[in-house]
Amino acid sequence: MFDPAAGFPVQRPRRLRAHPRIRDLVRENRLTVDDLIYPLFIYHGTNLRREIGSMPGQYQLSLDRLGEIIDEVADLKIPGVLLFGIPEHKDALGSAASRDDGVVQQAVRLIKKRAPELLVVTDLCFCEYTDHGHCGPLVEVAGRYDVDNDATLPMLAEQAVSHARAGADLIAPSGMMDGMVKAIRQGLDASGFTQTPIMSYSSKFASGYYGPFREAAESAPGMGDRRGYQMDPANGDEAIREAAIDLAEGADIIMVKPALAYLDVARRLKDAFRVPLAAYNVSGEYAMVKAAAERGWIDERRIVLETLTGFKRAGIDIIMTYHALDVARWLKEG
């Protein structure tokens, strides 16, 4: 706004940008360590800490090496971890996923013993456990194979109960099966886990950003792809419908995945439902930042903090990110 009589702008927004303390006072969104969840890949075997080639600084960890990273997470005051399991034996049904002695179930018990205050979130799916790499048992339909949605539902409920029995604090189903939240909620309630919340991957897109994760979790589909059950990246209204269904079925937290290319969806979800909203800062997003930083093309710290602050601005409350350890250190430094 310019007042010709006065000869200078009446409103000068730069007044609130000139001093660092004033900038702090008027800052609208703040990223804190309390916003973070750190994903971990639990691998069968012993004495394993294997760096994931496409995700520098991230590892597949055996149970006997898991305590090292859990101590670091706890020391940095990161609230929780998200667990993925890679079993020794895979089959068509992913039967290892629901075993009480499964890698995730053992990891949950270990973490609860070592760091009782740490929130343990378990990813609930079958892609890491099936020999075909899909998110449930397959059925042949019209000459092609697809995941049998309804046959997968009781299996998800069984897996959820096994995680809760091991001590998981929060169940996070990621398979995008129709009716999955209802089936899991009913299974948990029937087994006495009425207080165990569900964080549903409500708006999970069939994204190219998942590439490095396929290596980390050894879960690439052996045939076809997941576009038959994950969402079309072109769709936004569908994400709203999916989230509404999951909330009606009993989801306590909803999620958008990936995060960076779907911040418009995150904002719409927050405005539509005003419930706790999570986002997954996925492997491809992480790998691009690490690759550019290694070449000296970007300031990694500045880019990561700016990106995650953008997540907060979009209405995201909970951020699953492989950057969590670094972010916690940077925030501590100030």
Side-chain angles (χ1 to χ4, degrees), residues 8-9 13 20 24 43-44 57 77-78 85 106 111 119 121 162 167 175 185-186 189 217 255 268 278 280 311 320 325:
F8 63 88
D24 289 344
Y43 204 85
H44 63 87
K77 308 299 183 186
I78 295 170
Q106 291 187 65
I111 295 168
L119 184 75
V121 186
S162 75
R185 184 73 273 159
Q186 290 178 341
D189 291 354
M255 188 197 302
R268 290 182 64 185
Y280 202 138
F311 295 172
M320 270 71 68
L325 298 181

Side-chain angles (χ1 to χ4, degrees), residues 112-271:
K112 281 301 173 185
K113 184 176 181 179
R114 192 171 188 116
E117 74 288 351
L118 198 64
L119 184 75
V120 180
V121 186
T122 55
D123 179 84
L124 201 72
C125 196
F126 290 98
C127 59
E128 305 105 301
Y129 300 91
T130 55
D131 53 14
H132 47 72
H134 281 282
C135 300
L138 297 180
V139 61
E140 188 174 0
V141 180
R144 64 180 181 85
Y145 285 95
D146 193 9
V147 173
D148 188 332
N149 187 98
D150 293 2
T152 304
L153 298 183
M155 294 167 58
L156 285 169
E158 182 183 6
Q159 187 183 8
V161 170
S162 75
H163 288 185
R165 193 160 49 232
D169 299 296
L170 184 58
I171 305 296
S174 63
M176 289 296 287
M177 296 295 113
D178 294 340
M180 67 180 185
V181 173
K182 181 178 179 180
I184 292 165
R185 184 73 273 159
Q186 290 178 341
L188 289 170
D189 291 354
S191 299
F193 298 107
T194 58
Q195 295 302 309
T196 301
I198 297 172
M199 176 171 66
S200 178
Y201 289 63
S202 299
S203 304
K204 182 178 179 180
F205 293 84
S207 172
Y209 283 99
Y210 302 148
F213 178 91
R214 306 288 187 239
E215 176 189 355
E218 299 183 4
S219 61
M223 53 185 161
D225 55 42
R226 299 195 176 112
R227 285 180 286 187
Y229 41 102
Q230 295 177 358
M231 289 175 48
D232 186 337
N235 294 352
D237 293 345
E238 185 182 5
I240 307 301
R241 296 195 297 271
E242 284 276 9
I245 292 169
D246 284 359
L247 288 168
E249 291 183 357
D252 302 282
I253 302 169
I254 55 176
M255 188 197 302
V256 61
K257 179 184 180 180
L260 195 57
Y262 300 89
L263 293 182
D264 61 316
V265 173
R267 184 71 261 172
R268 290 182 64 185
L269 289 170
K270 192 64 171 182
D271 290 344

Side-chain angles (χ1 to χ4, degrees), residues 12 23 42 64 66 71 74 103 143-144 146 160 170 173 179 193 209 253 260 265 270 272 286 300 318 323 325:
R12 292 183 180 266
R23 292 197 297 270
I42 316 302
D64 58 328
L66 177 59
D71 290 345
V103 288
R144 64 180 181 85
D146 193 9
L170 184 58
F193 298 107
Y209 283 99
I253 302 169
L260 195 57
V265 173
K270 192 64 171 182
Y286 172 86
E300 180 178 357
I318 304 163
H323 296 289
L325 298 181

Side-chain angles (χ1 to χ4, degrees), residues 9 34 37 41 46 76 81 100 121 126 160 172-174 197 206 217 241 251 277 296 298 324:
D34 293 329
I37 298 291
F41 298 97
T46 58
L76 288 169
V81 294
D100 283 342
V121 186
F126 290 98
S174 63
R241 296 195 297 271
L277 176 63
I298 60 170

